[in-house]
Every structure is written in structure tokens, then in C-alpha cells.
Amino acid sequence: MEIFNHRLNNYIDSWMGPRDPRVRGWLLLDNYLPTVAFTIMYLMIVWMGPKYMRNRQPFSCRGILVLYNLALTFLSLYMFYELVTGVWQGGYNFFCQDTHSGGEADTRIIQVLWWYYFSKLIEFMDTFFFILRKNNHQITFLHIYHHSTMLNIWWFVMNWVPCGHSYFGATFNSFIHVLMYSYYGLSAVPAMRPYLWWKKYITQCQLIQFVLTMMQTSCAVVWPCGFPKGWLYFQISYMITLIIFFSNFYKQ
């Protein structure tokens, strides 16, 4: 396994180029194998979980759902606040921001974005709760695609472009997750459901997020500042897939 891990890292490094030394030694970032392993385990549970639960009674999970979703609400709020204030502190350029001119603000952004990356691992629990509660209709291709890809994408982001222009999508997404996880947490309490008016706006906000992220990313292509263009093209492409999938979900 160690040999495979070494070869995998060497292959990735030869393909991607030098990593950002500021994240060397950080939890889960030095080696890609753990992120891959977590993703494979996630997909295996997605495949086997509903089969295991088929002839079993669903679990309520109400208490833990409230705690889990509110914890993610506060984590998302923390990340949103730290990213906004960090960007302000560093005087980030909205149209294009490189990864080395922000000084101490870059370090602050990197630290918060590590938590953003790690939160994508925590969010695998979204699917596991669906399985335990037998809400299999919510385990869609879009859901699996989004959850499994985000963790992997952000492993690469953290190793090569852990600050600078990478901040925008994570900032907007953290804000959306404040809305989303607060809704999920409170909706686990039946008495609260009549007051949760923002449910119907969540998908709309997500679509707005993807469009604005794509537009802001495109700005760095038009007005370059040294941020790697390959990353920009990839993000634009990924946003297009999310716009397509979420639009289809919204129409349904």
C-alpha cells in the first residue's frame, strides 16, 4: 500500500507540478490515497446501504439530525465570516487574485479553506442519514455526484491553489450551506416546519451561486493575474455541470 501511495503521489505531482509548500504536513493533504479511500467507502455505502436497509425499519435520527445540521450550520457560518473578513483584510481583487500577494490574509484563507475541504468529508453524512431514514428518493445522481466530487476537487485545490481566486466559490457555498443546514436541522423538529419559509429558495440560491462563481472565475481568464488558467477552465467546466444538473432537479 505504501508503494502504491508513493507512486500515486509521484504521478499526481508529475502531472500537476509543484505543490504549495504552505500546506505541507496538513491533515489529509500530503497523500491523495486517504481522500480516494473515503470516496470509495462513500460510494460503497451508497450502493450497499439501501440494500441493507431494504427489509429493516427506518431510523428516526431526529436528535442527532438536529445536532448534526446545526453543527454544520455554525461551521458554515464560521467559514463564511472568516473568508469574507480574510478577503477584506488581504484586499483581494474581485476580478483576479493570485495565490501569493495577500500576505497574512492568504494564510488565514488557507486555514479556512482546509476546514472547507474537511467539511466535504463530514457532509458524506448527509447521504448516510438518507439511507438510515430510508429516504432513498433523495439519493439522486446529482446528490452523489456533487458529494463525491467536491471532496476530491478540494484536495487538489488545497494542494495547488489554496487561496487567491479559489476563495469565491467556497465563500458563496458556505453562505448557501448556512441556509440549507439550518433548514434541515430545524425541519427535523415537526413544530418548526411551518416557519421554515426559505426552503423553496435554496435551490434557486444554489443556481445563482453556480452562475456567479462561473462569471467571477471567467473574470480571471479575461483579466489574468497569474492564477493558473487550467484551474479556472476546470472550475468553469465544473460549474456548467452543476448548473445543468441542478436546473434539471429544479424543474422536477
Side-chain angles (χ1 to χ4, degrees):
M1 185 62 71
E2 186 175 341
I3 294 174
F4 174 76
N5 184 48
H6 181 70
R7 288 180 177 175
L8 178 62
N9 283 328
N10 284 344
Y11 173 75
I12 293 172
D13 290 346
S14 66
W15 174 43
M16 299 293 297
R19 303 189 191 194
D20 194 306
R22 291 172 291 185
V23 298
R24 187 170 296 148
W26 288 29
L27 182 64
L28 297 177
L29 294 186
D30 281 353
N31 300 304
Y32 185 42
L33 190 58
T35 296
V36 173
F38 282 128
T39 305
I40 293 173
M41 289 170 59
Y42 170 76
L43 294 174
M44 290 294 292
I45 292 173
V46 168
W47 176 53
M48 298 177 62
K51 299 179 187 296
Y52 174 79
M53 290 296 298
R54 182 176 298 155
N55 298 316
R56 291 173 169 81
Q57 291 296 314
F59 292 90
S60 169
C61 303
R62 181 179 299 172
I64 194 170
L65 269 175
V66 173
L67 293 175
Y68 167 76
N69 284 295
L70 292 184
L72 277 177
T73 299
F74 287 116
L75 176 59
S76 299
L77 185 61
Y78 160 76
M79 292 188 294
F80 175 72
Y81 171 80
E82 284 292 313
L83 287 167
V84 169
T85 54
V87 165
W88 182 268
Q89 173 192 347
Y92 271 31
N93 188 318
F94 175 82
F95 297 102
C96 188
Q97 178 66 36
D98 63 37
T99 58
H100 288 90
S101 64
E104 292 183 3
D106 281 346
T107 302
R108 184 178 181 183
I109 296 293
I110 293 170
Q111 291 171 344
V112 182
L113 289 182
W114 180 88
W115 277 105
Y116 184 76
Y117 155 74
F118 189 70
S119 73
K120 300 308 158 190
L121 177 60
I122 299 173
E123 288 168 15
F124 281 177
M125 291 300 300
D126 294 356
T127 315
F128 302 157
F129 283 124
F130 288 156
I131 293 171
L132 291 173
R133 301 175 73 202
K134 299 185 76 169
N135 290 340
N136 295 338
H137 65 282
Q138 293 181 284
I139 309 174
T140 61
F141 172 79
L142 166 61
H143 178 87
I144 298 168
Y145 170 77
H146 186 48
H147 277 66
S148 59
T149 55
M150 283 293 285
L151 178 68
N152 288 270
I153 288 169
W154 274 91
W155 183 87
F156 283 92
V157 171
M158 289 307 302
N159 270 289
W160 279 273
V161 283
C163 57
H165 214 67
S166 302
Y167 81 91
F168 186 82
T171 305
F172 211 135
N173 188 243
S174 295
F175 173 73
I176 298 298
H177 279 194
V178 171
L179 301 179
M180 187 176 75
Y181 284 110
S182 62
Y183 166 76
Y184 285 142
L186 294 173
S187 67
V189 182
M192 293 296 299
R193 291 172 188 168
Y195 306 102
L196 306 180
W197 53 268
W198 63 94
K199 175 187 177 181
K200 61 181 179 180
Y201 299 111
I202 292 176
T203 303
Q204 295 176 11
C205 289
Q206 288 173 314
L207 284 168
I208 292 171
Q209 167 201 336
F210 302 142
V211 172
L212 291 180
T213 299
M214 185 174 67
M215 292 173 63
Q216 194 259 0
T217 304
S218 300
C219 288
V221 175
V222 177
W223 298 287
C225 62
F227 192 91
K229 282 195 174 181
W231 288 101
L232 301 174
Y233 293 135
F234 174 80
Q235 173 140 292
I236 291 169
S237 301
Y238 186 64
M239 289 300 110
I240 290 172
T241 68
L242 293 181
I243 290 169
I244 293 171
F245 292 144
F246 273 82
S247 296
N248 183 61
F249 172 78
Y250 182 69
K251 290 176 183 177
Q252 294 175 355

